[in-house]
Amino acid sequence: DVYKRQQRQVFYTRRQSILEGRGLDNHIWEMIDEVIEENCLKMLNDDYPYLCIAEWSRQTMGVELDIHKIRGYDFSDLERIIRDHARNNADQEITITLGEYMSDDMPPEEWDIRGLSKWAMSKFSVNVSQNQLRKMTPDEVQDQLIEAAGALIEKADLTRLTAFLDNDFSRRSLCEWMNQKFTLAVTPEEMAALNPVQTRDYLLERARAAYRRREIEYPVDFILNMALRRDRAGSGFAAKEVAEWARRKYHADLTIEKVQQLSFDQIRDKLVQLSESYNDGQLDAEIDHALRTHAGNRQPLVDWANERFNLKLTPDELDVDNAREIIAHRGRQFLRDELTQLERYVLLQIYDSSWKDHLYAMDQLKGSVGLRGFAEKDPKLEYKREGYRMFQEMLSGIREKVTDMIFKAR
C-alpha cells in the first residue's frame, strides 16, 4: 500500500547512506543528541516520579493508577490509595474466579475443589484442604479468601514509594541511565544547580566527550586485538602489523624491535598518545604543511592526499576554496576508519532487524484495523495513524539500541 511504500522509502534511503558510509559519525552524533533529549524531557518532567509510581504499582500490586489523580500526593496518601485499589481488585478477582470453581450452575459434587485449593494457596497463601472446602458454601469460601487477600495486601511493603518521592529522584534516575548507557560516572551533585535545559546541555557534552574519546581509543584497541588474535603463536607478526599500522596512521617512528620491547599496556599508551596528538591538531598541521608545499599545484596535492589517507580523489574535486575542507574531512575519517566500520556494522544490524519486526507488526495491524470499522472508526485513517506511531517507535527504538551498543561493542 501507499503508506507502507512511504515508510519503505524513508527506511531504505537511510540504509543506503549507511551502506555507502556517508556521514556515519554525524548519524551517531544525532542519535546521541536525540536519545539524551528524549530522556531528559521524560525524566526531568514533574510527572516522571508519578509515572514511575504508577508503573511500579501496576507491576508489584496489579494496580492501575491515573497519574493525574495522584500528582502531588505524599507517601501516606499513595499507600492508602494503592492498598484500597488492590483490595478492590482482589475482591473482584475472587468473585469472578470463584464462580469458575464453584459455579451456581453446577451441582456441588461437580465443583473443581482440587483446582480451587491450589489456586487459593498460590494466589493468597490460603491453605484450605479439599475436605474443608467441601463443607463450605461459596459465600464462606469467598469471605475467607477476601480476608486472606486483605491480610496479604496490608502486609505488602510499599516503602519503595518513598524513593520515587525523593526530591532528587528524577536527577538520580537520569544519572543512572546516562552512566549505564554511555559508561560515564555522572552524579546528581554535578547537576544540582542546573535547570532542565542546562542539565540537558551538560549531559550532551559529557556524552559527546565520551564518544570523542572512543574515536581516539577504539582504532588503537582494534589493531592491537586483531594483531594479537592473528599471532597467537608469538611469531612476531603482531609486532610487525602494529608497527606498520602506526607508521601508516600516524607516521610513527616505530620499529618491530621497539614494539616487541614494550608491554601491551605500554604500546597501547604510546599509540593512544599518537592518536590524541592527531585528533588534537597534528592532523591539521600535517595538512597545512602539504597545502603550503603544493600551493598552486593541485595534482601533487591530490597525489599526496591519496597516498596519505588511502583516497581516490581527482584534481577536479579540489579547488582553492574547498581543498583544505575536503582533505581535512577525509583525513579525520581515515583516523577513525576502524570505528566507522563498527558503526556501519552496528547500524545495519539494528536497522535491518528493527525493520523486519516493524513490517511484521504492520501486517498484523492491517489485519486488525478492519475490526475498528465496527466501532465507527475509519479503518484507513486508523491504519495510517497507528502505522505512523509504530514507525516513530521503531526509529526511537533504533536510537536506543544503537546508542546502547556503539559505546560498548568491540
Side-chain angles (χ1 to χ4, degrees):
D1 54 67
V2 175
Y3 188 62
K4 191 182 287 187
R5 283 201 299 272
Q6 292 173 345
Q7 292 186 352
R8 186 177 286 111
Q9 182 176 2
V10 171
F11 172 80
Y12 279 105
T13 298
R14 294 191 180 193
R15 189 181 189 278
Q16 187 61 33
S17 70
I18 294 170
L19 279 173
E20 295 172 3
R22 289 187 277 113
L24 291 187
D25 51 345
N26 290 330
H27 201 44
I28 298 296
W29 291 123
E30 287 174 7
M31 286 188 168
I32 292 171
D33 288 357
E34 289 168 357
V35 79
I36 291 177
E37 176 88 22
E38 287 175 3
N39 281 274
C40 282
L41 285 173
K42 179 179 76 173
M43 294 188 189
L44 297 180
N45 189 290
D46 291 340
D47 282 340
Y48 180 68
Y50 298 100
L51 287 168
C52 293
I53 288 171
E55 179 62 19
W56 181 84
S57 300
R58 185 186 66 80
Q59 292 186 4
T60 306
M61 301 293 290
V63 170
E64 299 287 344
L65 296 178
D66 183 346
I67 66 164
H68 303 295
K69 294 181 179 179
I70 63 172
R71 189 188 290 120
Y73 282 20
D74 61 16
F75 172 74
S76 59
D77 289 332
L78 289 168
E79 184 182 31
R80 174 181 52 79
I81 290 170
I82 291 172
R83 293 195 198 278
D84 287 346
H85 274 69
R87 277 190 285 267
N88 289 334
N89 289 348
D91 291 353
Q92 293 177 18
E93 183 179 0
I94 289 168
T95 300
I96 294 170
T97 307
L98 191 59
E100 298 174 3
Y101 293 107
M102 304 177 79
S103 174
D104 292 336
D105 298 330
M106 299 168 59
E109 57 270 17
E110 294 184 14
W111 288 346
D112 184 5
I113 299 300
R114 182 180 180 184
L116 176 59
S117 177
K118 288 183 177 179
W119 176 73
M121 183 62 192
S122 64
K123 189 71 177 179
F124 305 112
S125 300
V126 175
N127 189 12
V128 187
S129 69
Q130 296 179 39
N131 287 334
Q132 287 176 294
L133 288 171
R134 289 191 180 93
K135 298 174 184 178
M136 299 170 70
T137 66
D139 287 344
E140 290 173 333
V141 174
Q142 182 172 338
D143 290 343
Q144 185 169 346
L145 292 178
I146 287 175
E147 182 181 351
L152 279 178
I153 291 167
E154 201 58 37
K155 290 180 188 176
D157 183 6
L158 303 187
T159 54
R160 178 71 176 88
L161 296 171
T162 59
F164 299 125
L165 296 172
D166 187 272
N167 289 333
D168 215 22
F169 170 72
S170 292
R171 276 190 166 80
R172 190 170 63 251
S173 299
L174 186 56
C175 287
E176 290 172 358
W177 174 81
M178 282 287 298
N179 295 339
Q180 188 279 328
K181 177 176 280 289
F182 302 119
T183 61
L184 296 174
V186 183
T187 65
E189 290 74 22
E190 297 173 43
M191 305 182 294
L194 305 180
N195 63 35
V197 174
Q198 292 170 331
T199 299
R200 178 205 63 194
D201 293 343
Y202 175 73
L203 294 179
L204 282 172
E205 182 52 40
R206 288 294 301 271
R208 281 178 162 263
Y211 203 66
R212 283 193 291 270
R213 189 66 196 173
R214 187 152 168 78
E215 287 185 319
I216 290 170
E217 295 183 356
Y218 182 82
V220 172
D221 291 330
F222 177 86
I223 188 60
L224 289 176
N225 281 284
M226 290 301 294
L228 291 173
R229 186 181 303 172
R230 287 194 284 257
D231 189 26
R232 291 180 179 174
S235 64
F237 179 80
K240 179 182 179 183
E241 186 174 7
V242 169
E244 290 178 349
W245 180 86
R247 284 198 297 273
R248 184 172 66 253
K249 186 81 83 171
Y250 309 122
H251 279 176
D253 183 21
L254 272 180
T255 63
I256 298 175
E257 291 73 20
K258 284 183 180 179
V259 173
Q260 289 176 321
Q261 290 169 2
L262 298 174
S263 68
F264 180 90
D265 289 341
Q266 288 173 329
I267 188 61
R268 183 185 185 278
D269 289 344
K270 186 171 185 62
L271 293 178
V272 167
Q273 288 172 7
L274 287 167
S275 182
E276 286 174 336
S277 69
Y278 265 81
N279 279 275
D280 292 340
Q282 183 61 34
L283 173 66
D284 291 329
E286 192 174 315
I287 292 172
D288 288 338
H289 180 266
L291 288 169
R292 290 193 299 271
T293 301
H294 304 296
N297 298 300
R298 275 193 293 177
Q299 186 62 57
L301 179 62
V302 168
D303 292 340
W304 173 85
N306 287 340
E307 172 65 24
R308 177 67 181 91
F309 302 123
N310 192 29
L311 303 177
K312 295 181 180 179
L313 288 174
T314 64
D316 293 337
E317 295 178 69
L318 297 180
D319 58 38
V320 176
D321 295 327
N322 68 9
R324 193 191 189 289
E325 180 182 351
I326 290 177
I327 294 175
H329 174 72
R330 299 294 183 90
R332 286 191 291 271
Q333 295 302 310
F334 173 76
L335 291 180
R336 74 186 310 277
D337 181 63
E338 293 81 2
L339 184 57
T340 298
Q341 300 305 320
L342 177 71
E343 290 169 345
R344 179 186 285 113
Y345 176 78
V346 169
L347 285 166
L348 285 175
Q349 291 291 314
I350 292 175
Y351 261 89
D352 288 351
S353 63
S354 299
W355 179 243
K356 289 176 184 176
D357 292 342
H358 177 69
L359 289 180
Y360 177 76
M362 289 292 289
D363 287 340
Q364 296 295 106
L365 174 65
K366 190 173 184 179
S368 66
V369 291
L371 299 175
R372 303 185 189 185
F374 293 104
E376 298 182 354
K377 293 182 178 180
D378 183 349
K380 291 183 179 179
L381 184 60
E382 286 294 300
Y383 177 69
K384 188 172 183 179
R385 182 185 294 117
E386 188 69 10
Y388 175 80
R389 182 191 65 78
M390 291 165 58
F391 188 66
Q392 294 304 312
E393 282 186 356
M394 181 198 75
L395 295 179
S396 178
I398 287 174
R399 288 193 292 271
E400 283 289 345
K401 293 173 185 175
V402 169
T403 49
D404 263 345
M405 286 189 65
I406 205 64
F407 276 80
K408 302 163 188 168
R410 293 289 182 270

